[in-house]
Amino acid sequence: DEIAPLSSGSWSEVTRLWPRFVGQRQQLELQLSDGRRTGLKTASLFVGSAGSLGPPGAMVVSASSAQAPSIPDKGRIILKHHGLHMILEIDRLHPVGAQSLSGIRDISMECALTCILDMEDSVSVVDPDEKARVYRNICNVMRGTMEVPLVKGGQRLVQRANPDIRYRDIRSDAQYLAGRGVALVRNVGHHLFTDAVVTADGRMIPENFLDCLVTVAAALQDLRATGDLVNSRTGSVYIVMPKMHGPREVALAVAIFRRVETYFALRQNTVKLGLLNEERRTSLNLRECIREASERVFFIGAGTLDRMGDEIHTCMMAGPVVRRSDMRQQSWMRAFEESNVDVGL
């Protein structure tokens, strides 16, 4: 009722809902428990549907005596609000839908448009064997074959990536919604080295060199459409780079991306950069950092926890610092967060 109010009545009174053609376009029509029919107050919120839904007609004996139609509804109604989709899942044979006046068994909300697959500090990766496992997982995600077994409620289940959701829009044209958020991959920062690969004379290499190479190699399945699912709609690879200290380190990331693109014969700027603003030198030079990667930056993120750590590391020799719980209230922290938005805009 708050997000998609009806022209009259409440969603709690809805007994059926279905798409109806008005001229060359469909509108959402709803029947209430007292027999009245209504629609959305903002008709443009309805963007499409799928499945077998209405209209009532002969299938409903009367609005008062038939709370549900004789032919069970099963399908989806798709609404769009502030650019995000809501999917009303209708299934009168489902245990939840059977108890619902409207037949709605669930509402799926589009929320996380992107998700980060992490190689860095939210995963425990401290040796080459563990890193190889992370590489394998990311490759399987990009291929669309990632599976995770689990036990829920005493039942053995397997989690898989959601397939795309197909529907017909208000003009009856075929459309689809991605069933997954766009996968971004966070590589490690420039300052870590690994012995997973060594040089000819036995020296360790920068770990993010290897991260970038493997990330792009895994994403080739998406770029070449050889995987089971699509990640990037625009033929890009999205790498998030953390803990970069200023414009010169951003320029180094761009140089690495360029070398990997050349190695795999990809078009220039295929590899996009997510710039994490979490070090003091980057915060103070954010405009120049963005300029160094202006053709690649797809987001800037304010990494507040690491930014706190860098502030402490920078200032601690001058004396005690405030407690962590108080640090978010400091004027420098508010200035950092506001500057991140202002410079980005």
Side-chain angles (χ1 to χ4, degrees), residues 134-240:
V134 170
Y135 287 159
R136 185 181 304 113
N137 287 343
I138 287 174
C139 186
N140 286 336
V141 169
M142 292 297 180
R143 187 186 291 125
T145 58
M146 185 70 178
E147 294 185 348
V148 180
L150 74 155
V151 177
K152 182 177 181 180
Q155 290 185 317
R156 293 186 178 275
L157 305 173
V158 178
Q159 280 189 325
R160 299 181 179 88
N162 290 331
D164 293 335
I165 299 166
R166 302 187 181 279
Y167 69 97
R168 294 282 178 177
D169 66 15
I170 59 173
R171 295 183 178 87
S172 206
D173 293 332
Q175 303 289 349
Y176 79 94
L177 295 176
R180 308 152 307 283
V182 176
L184 325 176
V185 182
R186 181 161 67 167
N187 291 180
V188 302
H190 290 307
H191 300 272
L192 295 178
F193 283 72
T194 180
D195 59 356
V197 175
V198 296
T199 62
D201 56 358
R203 290 182 298 164
M204 294 191 296
I205 67 166
E207 190 169 347
N208 71 307
F209 286 19
L210 185 60
D211 282 358
C212 182
L213 187 74
V214 173
T215 298
V216 177
L220 289 178
Q221 298 175 91
D222 183 47
L223 298 178
R224 295 172 179 171
T226 57
D228 293 346
L229 300 171
V230 172
N231 185 50
S232 173
R233 282 60 144 183
T234 57
S236 293
V237 183
Y238 307 99
I239 293 181
V240 179

Side-chain angles (χ1 to χ4, degrees), residues 320-339:
V321 297
V322 298
R323 295 180 181 275
R324 175 182 164 185
S325 58
D326 298 326
M327 195 166 288
R328 288 195 66 89
Q329 308 307 317
Q330 300 301 301
S331 58
W332 74 264
M333 175 59 79
R334 292 196 297 273
F336 154 68
E337 293 177 329
E338 292 173 4
S339 174

Side-chain angles (χ1 to χ4, degrees), residues 72-74 90-98 103:
D73 286 333
K74 185 172 183 179
I90 302 167
D91 185 355
R92 293 191 181 274
L93 297 181
H94 187 276
V96 175

